[in-house]
């Protein structure tokens, strides 16, 4: 026999052994796969519905979809939480230009100024609707898609969650050893006694428990899904509140001198802006009178001149026929009337002056508000006499005075007309006199705090310069050529500027924000988990207790909780002795009986 024959036989045997091993390995692998599939089937009911989140679907390697299939796929993608978060991020990103670029809905004058200063980018911004971001097509599209996404996500999850609350905990899997938290022991108690004790124990720990065959199924942590749903519903409430607030809001400003009044009507506002769906008939019919403004400042130390208190004492009525109320409006403490809020935002001085013509007739008398331009309330403005004045020839004319007021004058020795302190310690009024056409009848809007001298002539003094004089309370500036006079009265009043706002939905937005925080906290810190307890007789007739737990996510608290429950149940279903070890009490009794028999 040649040497090659044994080698060939050996190789054939090796090949056969390899094939047998491969078949054995393949069989073991297939058996393992089948076991895993079986486990998945067994845990299918027990491990499902721990969350109401919809399943994520992918088209990679999937079948070709028709029109209905594509529509269903797009709908599921739109209502997924991933898309909702993406739309929420886009909405926040889209709101950034609205805070950086002037908006036509809030201040058209700023928009026009911006367009003049930036002629290159303004047409681009206009095409991109960046001057009215919140009413633009693209911002509205993101807003509406976010609404649809949240509603389409919440509605089915809510019904599914309600179904879970009304249903029973799922039955125990066949093999509890597959679950992440598991324990077992043998007990002397009967199976029915162990199951009854387990049911009572789980209910005592606020589990929703139910007996099913030889096992007890229990579930806990529903507030996790409830918190998740509350969070998403709160987002919708906040979005609706913000939308209604922007559409129906109104906001206006009013400057009122002490003793002056305000009624909440459009004609009473100095400036006013509102949402696109605002109706003037919806303005709350309240009114108020500013009795006195009180301001105090620090008078010594390094913080000298720093404001301490700003208070506006007002009397108001909520509507026709309502009795009069008093209120002290402070900074960030507004007057609230019928959903509208009146905020105190600024203040200044309004010196009282009296203007007479050449015959001594009073043609103007009253307080004129001036605007402060420094921290010590040095203020500037214009005093305009538009009607009732006639010159020395009896011809109608108009007077204008450029005014500069300081509440604490440093005196002529200081060489400057700036206030030394914000309070009325030494008030003074510097006047520059003009006459002619004020331009108020031209039909063009005019700033009441500025004097347009383009069509006016200045009064001249003896040196041929513009007639100017610094007046103290009670002093008078006499105009040349019998043109009249202007006197600074001793009464210097203060004015306060108020902002009257009506923001519908603000309370709902606050409630939605609080609910969103609470819901998010619940969804993050509460764990949804299930516990099963099985008690059945073993092959030797002794009761075997199995306990297992399953949570939505891996957590160290689940094994700890299962251990505590097992320890509590073990007190009522104590561990049976090991069958391999003799029972000590029986041996002791037997020994005792043997000893007693020997003595007899």
């Amino acid at each position: 026999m040649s040497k090659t024959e044994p080698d060939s036989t050996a190789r054939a045997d090796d090949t056969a052994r390899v094939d047998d091993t491969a078949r054995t390995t393949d069989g073991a692998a297939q058996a393992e796969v089948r076991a895993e599939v079986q486990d998945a089937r067994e845990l299918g009911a027990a491990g499902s519905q721990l969350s109401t989140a919809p399943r994520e679907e992918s088209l990679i390697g999937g079948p070709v979809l028709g029109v209905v299939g594509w529509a269903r796929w797009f709908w599921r993608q739109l209502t997924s939480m991933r898309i909702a978060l993406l739309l929420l991020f886009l909405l926040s990103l889209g709101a950034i230009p609205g805070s950086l670029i002037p908006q036509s809905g809030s201040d058209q004058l700023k928009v026009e100024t911006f367009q003049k200063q930036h002629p290159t980018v303004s047409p681009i911004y206009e095409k991109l609707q960046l001057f009215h971001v919140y009413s633009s097509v693209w911002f509205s599209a993101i807003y509406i898609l976010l609404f649809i996404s949240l509603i389409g996500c919440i509605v089915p999850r809510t019904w599914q969650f309600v179904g879970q609350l009304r249903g029973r905990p799922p039955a125990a899997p066949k093999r509890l050893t597959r679950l992440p938290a598991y324990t077992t022991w043998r007990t002397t108690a009967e199976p029915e006694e162990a199951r009854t004790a387990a049911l009572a124990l789980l209910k005592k720990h606020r589990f929703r428990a139910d007996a099913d065959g030889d096992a007890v199924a229990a579930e806990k942590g529903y507030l996790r899904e409830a918190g998740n749903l509350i969070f998403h519903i709160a987002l919708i409430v906040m979005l609706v509140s913000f939308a209604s607030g922007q559409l129906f809001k109104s906001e206006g400003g009013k400057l009122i001198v002490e003793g002056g009044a305000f009624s909440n009507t459009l004609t009473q506002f100095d400036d006013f802006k509102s949402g696109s769906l605002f109706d003037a008939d919806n303005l709350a019919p309240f009114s108020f009178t500013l009795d006195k403004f009180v301001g105090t400042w620090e008078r010594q130390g390094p913080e000298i001149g720093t404001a301490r208190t700003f208070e506006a004492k007002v009397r108001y009525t909520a509507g026709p026929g309502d009795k009069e109320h008093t209120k002290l409006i402070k900074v960030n403490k507004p007057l609230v009337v019928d959903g509208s809020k009146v905020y105190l935002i600024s203040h200044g001085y309004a010196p009282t002056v009296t203007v007479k013509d050449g015959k001594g007739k009073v043609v103007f008398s009253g307080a004129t508000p001036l605007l402060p331009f420094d921290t010590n309330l040095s203020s500037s403005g214009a005093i305009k006499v538009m009607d009732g004045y006639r010159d020395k020839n009896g011809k109608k004319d108009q007077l204008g005075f450029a005014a500069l007021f300081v509440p604490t004058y440093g005196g002529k020795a200081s060489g400057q007309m700036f206030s030394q302190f914000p309070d009325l310690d030494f008030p003074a009024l510097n006047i520059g006199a003009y006459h002619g056409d004020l331009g108020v009848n031209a039909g063009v809007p005019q700033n009441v705090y500025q004097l347009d001298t383009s069509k006016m002539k200045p009064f001249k003094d003896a040196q041929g310069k513009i007639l100017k004089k610094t007046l103290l309370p009670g002093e008078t500036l006499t105009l040349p050529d019998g043109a009249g006079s202007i006197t600074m009265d001793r009464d210097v009043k203060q004015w306060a500027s108020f902002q009257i706002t009506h923001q519908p939905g603000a309370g709902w937005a606050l409630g939605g924000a609080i609910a969103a925080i609470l819901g998010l906290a619940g969804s993050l810190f509460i764990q949804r988990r299930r516990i099963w307890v099985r008690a059945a007789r073993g092959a030797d007739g002794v009761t075997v207790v199995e306990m297992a737990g399953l949570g939505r996510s891996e957590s160290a608290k689940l094994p700890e909780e299962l251990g505590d429950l097992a320890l509590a149940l073990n007190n009522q279903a104590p561990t049976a002795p090991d069958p391999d070890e003799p029972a000590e009490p029986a041996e002791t009794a037997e020994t005792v009986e043997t000893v007693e028999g020997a003595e007899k």
Side-chain angles (χ1 to χ4, degrees):
M1 184 178 294
S2 64
K3 294 182 179 180
T4 58
E5 290 180 356
D7 295 340
S8 300
T9 304
R11 282 196 298 270
D13 293 341
D14 292 341
T15 303
R17 284 194 297 271
V18 169
D19 292 339
D20 291 340
T21 303
R23 283 193 295 270
T24 303
T25 304
D26 291 343
Q30 292 176 4
E32 185 177 355
V33 170
R34 285 195 296 270
E36 291 179 356
V37 172
Q38 184 65 25
D39 291 341
R41 290 176 180 175
E42 291 177 0
L43 290 177
S48 65
Q49 295 184 346
L50 276 172
S51 172
T52 57
R55 292 177 301 175
E56 298 290 342
E57 297 184 2
S58 174
L59 290 179
I60 300 176
V64 178
L65 300 179
V67 176
V68 177
W70 276 108
R72 184 177 299 172
W73 182 82
F74 277 116
W75 173 254
R76 288 179 177 174
Q77 296 301 312
L78 178 62
T79 56
S80 67
M81 192 48 54
R82 178 178 63 250
I83 298 299
L85 292 175
L86 179 61
L87 290 172
L88 187 62
F89 173 74
L90 289 177
L91 190 70
S92 303
L93 193 64
I96 294 177
S99 60
L100 299 179
I101 301 174
Q103 300 295 294
S104 57
S106 58
D107 197 333
Q108 183 62 35
L109 182 60
K110 285 186 177 180
V111 173
E112 295 176 357
T113 303
F114 182 89
Q115 291 175 341
K116 292 178 181 178
Q117 295 176 349
H118 305 85
T120 304
V121 298
S122 292
I124 301 175
Y125 285 2
E126 187 65 38
K127 290 182 180 180
L128 295 177
Q129 300 179 318
L130 296 182
F131 291 119
H132 45 95
V133 168
Y134 305 111
S135 60
S136 63
V137 175
W138 55 270
F139 191 85
S140 302
I142 297 174
Y143 211 88
I144 294 172
L145 285 175
L146 181 58
F147 268 112
I148 297 174
S149 178
L150 289 174
I151 294 174
C153 179
I154 289 172
V155 172
R157 293 181 68 170
T158 301
W159 286 117
Q160 183 179 352
F161 182 62
V162 171
Q164 292 178 13
L165 291 178
R166 298 178 62 183
R168 300 169 62 185
K174 292 183 179 180
R175 290 190 289 179
L176 295 178
T177 55
R178 290 289 185 180
L179 298 181
Y182 175 83
T183 185
T184 183
W185 72 92
R186 292 155 48 89
T187 180
T188 57
E190 294 295 323
E192 184 64 27
E193 294 178 3
R195 289 194 292 268
T196 302
L199 183 63
L201 176 65
L202 291 171
K203 287 185 176 180
K204 181 181 178 181
H205 285 77
R206 298 189 300 277
F207 278 86
R208 188 164 64 97
D210 184 56
D212 184 16
D214 63 348
V216 175
E219 193 168 13
K220 193 177 184 181
Y222 285 98
L223 288 179
R224 179 188 182 95
E225 288 303 315
N228 198 6
L229 293 174
I230 289 173
F231 171 73
H232 292 91
I233 294 173
L235 284 182
I236 293 180
V237 172
M238 292 172 63
L239 290 174
V240 172
S241 301
F242 291 147
S244 63
Q246 291 296 319
L247 293 174
F248 297 97
K249 73 174 183 178
S250 63
E251 180 178 297
K254 180 63 177 179
L255 186 149
I256 305 176
V257 180
E258 289 176 327
F262 168 80
S263 295
N264 193 30
T265 58
L266 285 179
T267 56
Q268 290 282 300
F269 287 95
D270 295 333
D271 58 85
F272 187 82
K273 56 185 179 181
S274 62
S276 57
L277 298 182
F278 167 78
D279 187 357
D281 295 334
N282 294 330
L283 286 173
F286 68 88
S287 60
F288 66 91
T289 301
L290 175 62
D291 288 334
K292 187 173 181 59
F293 179 87
V294 177
T296 60
W297 294 266
E298 186 66 43
R299 289 192 168 272
Q300 58 185 358
E303 296 183 355
I304 186 171
T306 303
R308 289 305 179 203
T309 59
F310 287 151
E311 300 175 348
K313 299 180 181 179
V314 301
R315 289 176 290 113
Y316 73 95
T317 57
D322 183 34
K323 65 177 183 179
E324 199 169 59
H325 310 272
T326 59
K327 174 69 175 180
L328 191 64
I329 304 177
K330 300 180 180 180
V331 178
N332 295 326
K333 293 183 179 180
L335 166 67
V336 182
V337 184
D338 197 14
S340 297
K341 296 183 178 181
V342 181
Y343 291 93
L344 175 64
I345 58 175
S346 61
H347 92 287
Y349 293 103
T352 303
V353 297
T354 300
V355 180
K356 299 179 180 179
D357 61 11
K359 297 181 179 181
K361 178 184 176 182
V362 177
V363 293
F364 176 84
S365 180
T368 302
L370 303 179
L371 299 181
F373 58 84
D374 63 15
T375 57
N376 286 328
L377 299 186
S378 301
S379 307
S380 63
I383 301 172
K384 301 178 182 181
V385 181
M386 295 174 285
D387 300 313
Y389 174 77
R390 294 179 181 270
D391 60 14
K392 63 179 182 179
N393 299 321
K395 184 180 178 181
K396 290 184 178 181
D397 201 1
Q398 294 178 335
L399 297 179
F401 301 93
L404 180 62
F405 175 80
V406 289
T408 302
Y409 183 38
K412 295 182 179 179
S414 65
Q416 56 183 359
M417 191 65 184
F418 290 102
S419 178
Q420 308 299 308
F421 193 76
D423 210 352
L424 288 172
D425 293 343
F426 188 22
L429 179 65
N430 184 271
I431 292 294
Y434 297 82
H435 68 97
D437 185 6
L438 290 170
V440 295
N441 298 322
V444 179
Q446 190 180 92
N447 191 331
V448 297
Y449 302 104
Q450 293 180 352
L451 184 64
D452 183 7
T453 60
S454 59
K455 297 181 179 180
M456 304 190 74
K457 296 180 180 180
F459 287 101
K460 300 294 184 67
D461 57 12
Q463 289 78 26
K465 299 180 180 179
I466 298 176
L467 181 63
K468 293 182 179 181
K469 185 178 180 180
T470 299
L471 304 177
L472 300 180
E475 294 183 349
T476 300
L477 169 63
T478 301
L479 302 178
D481 300 329
S485 64
I486 177 172
T487 302
M488 178 184 177
D489 299 334
R490 297 186 180 277
D491 182 20
V492 178
K493 295 185 176 181
Q494 300 190 67
W495 58 260
S497 181
F498 298 91
Q499 185 180 58
I500 299 92
T501 64
H502 180 67
Q503 190 83 19
W508 284 97
L510 177 60
I514 296 174
I517 294 174
L518 295 177
L520 184 61
S523 65
L524 291 177
F525 298 108
I526 298 176
Q527 184 186 18
R528 183 90 175 269
R529 66 269 195 199
R530 289 168 179 163
I531 300 290
W532 291 277
V533 181
R534 175 174 286 139
R537 292 191 183 276
D540 56 355
V542 180
T543 303
V544 178
V545 178
E546 291 182 289
M547 293 187 68
L550 178 65
R552 182 180 173 185
S553 58
E554 294 295 334
S555 174
K557 293 183 178 180
L558 180 61
E560 293 177 4
E561 185 176 25
L562 184 68
D564 294 338
L565 292 172
L567 183 61
L569 183 59
N570 186 260
N571 294 330
Q572 303 180 50
T575 305
D578 193 338
D580 296 334
E581 297 179 0
E584 293 182 359
E587 292 177 358
T588 304
E590 210 172 67
T591 305
V592 171
E593 290 178 0
T594 304
V595 171
E596 290 177 352
E599 290 177 352
K600 291 180 180 179

